[in-house]
Amino acid sequence: MDDWECKHCGTMIDVEAKFCSHCGARQGWTAPMKVLFFILILVSIGWIVKLGENSSTPTPTPEPTLVIPQRLTPREEALSLTKLQYTWEKTGFGSVMEANFIIDNRSDYTIKDITIKCVHFAKSGTIVDSSTASIYDIVKAKSKKKVNQFNMGFIHRQAASTNCEIIDVKVD
């Protein structure tokens, strides 16, 4: 037979006793104790749910900021609006690139000192060389200029194709 202490007077009583044989106090959970325990459980659950809501609360969206588009400088605008067409061939025993360019200045600015870069590729598609040269001439706004037989310098002997583009201009 197992014994335990009375919760009120400390006298040893039978585990299954509902009342203390010494003081008569009720043993086990009383109705008010059960209600209090139930309320405590509900409050704990509510507190845990509230913590979970706080941690998953979305961050407020910041106020939108006014984005003012930056204007291009005259040089940047002219560079972006100038197009290049070209044909080319090897001359000088296959060691010099000679190109025919059409520079189409679609901008509102007169340009000059046009720098062109050509990247050269072998038959396999591998880059083998590049050439950069400047055409020291003037191309008026909204006009085209042809530049024929322009010497781009030495070229790799295995260059089979090229890609040329305007990389810089000066605005007059």
Side-chain angles (χ1 to χ4, degrees):
M1 176 144 86
D2 291 58
D3 290 336
W4 65 358
E5 285 185 12
C6 171
K7 296 176 185 170
H8 301 282
C9 69
T11 304
M12 296 303 286
I13 57 171
D14 184 60
V15 172
E16 298 197 15
K18 297 198 186 229
F19 298 95
C20 176
S21 56
H22 181 263
C23 69
R26 181 170 179 87
Q27 301 299 305
W29 290 85
T30 61
M33 288 172 67
K34 288 180 182 176
V35 170
L36 183 63
F37 180 76
F38 182 73
I39 291 171
L40 183 63
I41 293 293
L42 287 178
V43 168
S44 297
I45 290 171
W47 184 68
I48 290 170
V49 168
K50 185 76 171 168
L51 280 177
E53 287 175 357
N54 286 345
S55 66
S56 65
T57 302
T59 306
T61 305
E63 290 294 319
T65 56
L66 180 62
V67 177
I68 300 170
Q70 290 186 330
R71 292 192 67 160
L72 296 176
T73 65
R75 180 193 151 278
E76 292 169 332
E77 185 178 333
L79 188 59
S80 70
L81 292 174
T82 302
K83 306 302 175 197
L84 182 69
Q85 295 175 12
Y86 62 92
T87 58
W88 72 283
E89 64 182 347
K90 290 181 187 178
T91 62
F93 301 105
S95 62
V96 176
M97 177 184 177
E98 190 175 89
N100 298 310
F101 295 116
I102 298 175
I103 301 165
D104 184 2
N105 180 5
R106 298 174 185 175
S107 77
D108 294 326
Y109 303 99
T110 296
I111 61 172
K112 64 180 184 177
D113 303 347
I114 299 108
T115 303
I116 298 174
K117 180 175 183 177
C118 297
V119 178
H120 313 296
F121 302 88
K123 288 180 184 177
S124 65
T126 302
I127 296 173
V128 292
D129 197 4
S130 68
S131 311
T132 303
S134 294
I135 298 173
Y136 296 104
D137 205 342
I138 295 171
V139 183
K140 295 201 180 277
K142 307 283 187 197
S143 69
K144 293 181 182 182
K145 175 151 258 179
K146 290 183 181 180
V147 179
N148 290 319
Q149 297 178 328
F150 186 79
N151 184 331
M152 284 295 293
F154 290 107
I155 189 169
H156 193 281
R157 62 185 172 86
Q158 292 188 53
S161 64
T162 191
N163 182 23
C164 298
E165 64 181 339
I166 297 172
I167 61 169
D168 198 14
V169 296
K170 289 186 180 171
V171 175
D172 202 20

